[in-house]
Amino acid sequence: MRCSALVLATLLLGCRMSELDAPIGIVMRDLSDQDAENLVESARCWNLELGTQFVVGPDEQQVEAFYDKFTCSHGAAAQVQAGWPMRIAICPQEYWVTDQEPFRVLSHELGHVANIIGHPDNSLAVMRSGGYPFTPMFTEVDRQMFADANPGFAGVDRCDGVVRRAVRPGTNATIGHCVCDREEPLDLDQSISIVLGGYPETYVSRFQAALDCTNLRYGTQLVLDDSASTPQRAYVRPPGTDSCDGARKRLQEHGTVYVCSPASNGSTLFPYVAIGEVLGIWLSGNWITDDPELAKLGRAPIGCTDIVRDEVTGVCMCQQ
Amino acid sequence: MRCSAVVLAIALTSSASSAEPAGEPNRVVVDGAQELGVVSSTHSMLTVSYARRLWQQRLYAEARLGSGYAYDLLETVGLGVLEVRLGAGVVLRRDRRVEVRIGWRVGDTYLHGSLNEQPFGLHTFAIQLAPTVAVRLASSWRLRITPVAPTLYWNQTYAGSMGLEAGVEYAL
């Protein structure tokens, strides 16, 4: 059933705004590129976790997103109103009276488009303010409210582990991001590009040396590269730039890996830990323990096995 | 539509022999209102209006000008409000002491001020239902109360409020 009544009437009558068994087209009217991308990413996260079918562009049922100053006067960053089409009215950001991220705001509003009414007590729920990066994006109460609002809906192509990230790489920290976290072995016979961000130059040079040593010993093709679009890429950031609260964490979506790893304490061996996070194993820079770890990935020392490492620079030389 | 017809019928058939003093076609009103926001900000308003009686004082038309303050319940928003309304209605009951009226008002609500230190101004269309009871206090003075005045606002999105008005009315 499609409702053309007011939101208030919707609340009072229990009328559902959307039929989730069919696609819901998102039509963006004059949104900035940044807000449009945040909305698309928010929709992707709902599709991943709950199996909704938000699509970009017109469809039989659709929601229109646009800027609306009237919404600002209520003290809201955005709101959803029922009708045909449904509408997401977004207060232009210059009028936002509280410090909020567009991705969180728009993720929240899509929950209302998906028939969720009201807000839970849990402030980490998407239907409140949302949680921390590198933690599950949707909380149990989000899932429960969604199930209550859409009884019998099973969803398609759902991912059990949608994890929130602070920003999508390459977007200058303006677009939110979520990842369907699934561990899959990387192909060590293929190149793996590693993009470092937010580390001091001294750490980058030690990281480069550790990559070179790893490639020398195991014949891998780990490269520091922030431009090539290789199928296998790893984004490595320190906690401050990705808000992952200081702990090392790893997420993987197909061939793309996201690692949150603290900067070096000055040791030339420290970058090996981050490289291990990229590969999904525990590395220390000690070949005696690292060889068995690489063996888990089916990779024996196929390059140089007699390596001497400069303990100051971390640079390796092959003695053979 | 059917309700409107009934209201009009009641008005037109209401006692023509009522004890309303003849010749008070013009009224000046000052009233205060508290409009609780429903999917909108809450308004506190002070309004001055001029009303003219028509057709043997069975109908009326009015023009209203109000000023006030809009805020949300979390007090993150504070905006000035200017309201301009034109209204019309019927007098349902008239006697020497009490009048009961119901009317519609339409007009513009202008919200102005600043949000997040940015200049803000916005016109919204408003339509309001105003059932009013007026009680005579003295020969030319009445106390008037509109206990429930629902208003619907529109500018791309809709919003609503539920108002309570109280004021005094002077017959010219």
Side-chain angles (χ1 to χ4, degrees):
Chain A
M1 182 174 69
R2 199 168 278 146
C3 306
S4 56
L6 304 178
V7 161
L8 184 61
T10 304
L11 294 170
L12 294 175
L13 301 175
C15 177
R16 285 199 288 166
M17 287 206 282
S18 307
E19 283 299 335
L20 298 192
D21 289 325
I24 302 171
I26 299 174
V27 176
M28 287 166 275
R29 192 166 46 136
D30 299 329
L31 293 191
S32 69
D33 290 347
Q34 175 187 330
D35 287 339
E37 287 197 50
N38 272 309
L39 184 53
V40 171
E41 181 68 14
S42 301
R44 192 181 73 90
C45 300
W46 277 94
N47 290 348
L48 274 174
E49 174 81 23
L50 293 153
T52 51
Q53 300 174 67
F54 288 112
V55 297
V56 176
D59 214 304
E60 189 174 330
Q61 60 178 340
Q62 68 186 41
V63 58
E64 188 177 73
F66 56 92
Y67 292 121
D68 177 46
K69 284 172 70 176
F70 196 15
T71 296
C72 315
S73 71
H74 317 162
Q79 63 170 328
V80 170
Q81 294 202 337
W84 172 251
M86 295 172 280
R87 292 173 298 163
I88 299 177
I90 305 167
C91 170
Q93 275 182 55
E94 64 263 32
Y95 297 119
W96 287 12
V97 291
T98 53
D99 188 20
Q100 299 182 74
E101 298 168 14
F103 176 67
R104 291 174 185 268
V105 170
L106 296 172
S107 302
H108 173 103
E109 298 305 335
L110 283 181
H112 291 311
V113 175
N115 300 317
I116 295 177
I117 294 171
H119 305 103
D121 292 334
N122 183 354
S123 64
L124 300 181
V126 169
M127 294 315 294
R128 281 283 301 278
S129 304
Y132 300 106
F134 278 77
T135 61
M137 177 162 169
F138 294 86
T139 64
E140 187 53 42
V141 70
D142 287 319
R143 284 187 283 271
Q144 189 58 53
M145 291 180 82
F146 179 82
D148 291 344
N150 301 284
F153 176 73
V156 293
D157 298 331
R158 296 175 63 166
C159 167
D160 287 336
V162 175
V163 179
R164 180 188 293 276
R165 292 195 63 247
V167 293
R168 194 161 71 198
T171 60
N172 199 23
T174 55
I175 313 298
H177 193 206
C178 70
V179 169
C180 178
D181 186 28
R182 286 181 181 146
E183 280 199 20
E184 300 172 36
L186 295 174
D187 184 353
L188 297 191
D189 290 325
Q190 302 296 321
S191 175
I192 301 173
S193 296
I194 297 176
V195 182
L196 287 184
Y199 293 103
E201 278 301 314
T202 51
Y203 182 74
V204 174
S205 61
R206 282 199 291 271
F207 197 96
Q208 178 68 66
L211 282 183
D212 292 340
C213 295
T214 304
N215 290 340
L216 188 63
R217 185 169 181 86
Y218 300 105
T220 49
Q221 301 175 57
L222 306 172
V223 293
L224 267 187
D225 188 354
D226 61 1
S227 59
S229 57
T230 53
Q232 299 186 115
R233 294 174 71 77
Y235 296 91
V236 183
R237 300 279 190 278
T241 56
D242 212 355
S243 309
C244 65
D245 67 21
R248 281 187 208 92
K249 289 172 183 172
R250 178 185 194 274
L251 302 173
Q252 182 177 3
E253 192 169 47
H254 306 300
T256 304
V257 175
Y258 304 92
V259 169
C260 180
S261 178
S264 168
N265 58 4
S267 165
T268 55
L269 301 183
F270 207 80
Y272 288 90
V273 179
I275 295 170
E277 292 280 359
V278 169
L279 301 178
I281 54 179
W282 173 254
L283 297 184
S284 67
N286 181 340
W287 310 129
I288 295 173
T289 56
D290 286 354
D291 284 352
E293 285 292 308
L294 265 297
K296 292 178 184 173
L297 303 179
R299 179 56 59 121
I302 61 175
C304 178
T305 54
D306 188 8
I307 290 177
V308 175
R309 183 167 45 210
D310 184 318
E311 296 304 325
V312 176
T313 64
V315 173
C316 292
M317 299 275 290
C318 184
Q319 297 289 60
Q320 293 171 333
Chain B
M1 184 62 79
R2 189 178 299 162
C3 291
S4 302
V6 170
V7 166
L8 187 61
I10 292 171
L12 297 179
T13 57
S14 63
S15 173
S17 60
S18 62
E20 173 70 16
E24 285 184 357
N26 303 318
R27 316 274 172 111
V28 175
V29 181
V30 175
D31 54 41
Q34 184 68 22
E35 298 174 7
L36 183 65
V38 182
V39 202
S40 79
S41 53
T42 291
H43 299 180
S44 298
M45 300 297 300
L46 183 66
T47 301
V48 177
S49 64
Y50 171 79
R52 182 170 180 82
R53 294 299 177 93
L54 306 167
W55 199 17
Q56 299 178 327
Q57 301 210 38
R58 288 172 172 161
L59 304 178
Y60 69 89
E62 63 176 345
R64 297 169 59 85
L65 179 64
S67 176
Y69 183 69
Y71 53 95
D72 69 318
L73 295 179
L74 298 176
E75 297 188 348
T76 55
V77 167
L79 293 169
V81 184
L82 283 176
E83 284 185 352
V84 178
R85 300 272 193 275
L86 293 176
V90 296
V91 180
L92 299 176
R93 170 195 163 93
R94 285 180 296 151
D95 62 31
R96 180 164 291 279
R97 182 165 170 73
V98 178
E99 269 190 9
V100 179
R101 315 159 190 157
I102 188 165
W104 288 94
R105 301 165 182 162
V106 297
D108 179 78
T109 294
Y110 179 61
L111 300 164
H112 62 95
S114 68
L115 287 177
N116 192 30
E117 300 179 348
Q118 300 292 317
F120 184 90
L122 182 73
H123 292 276
T124 63
F125 173 76
I127 183 167
Q128 183 177 44
L129 178 66
T132 301
V133 176
V135 179
R136 183 183 296 275
L137 299 175
S139 62
S140 296
W141 291 92
R142 283 186 173 85
L143 172 68
R144 50 182 269 158
I145 295 176
T146 303
V148 179
T151 306
L152 185 66
Y153 302 94
W154 171 262
N155 183 336
Q156 287 202 101
T157 51
Y158 47 77
S161 70
M162 199 63 79
L164 167 67
E165 287 178 13
V168 290
E169 180 177 295
Y170 180 72
L172 299 175

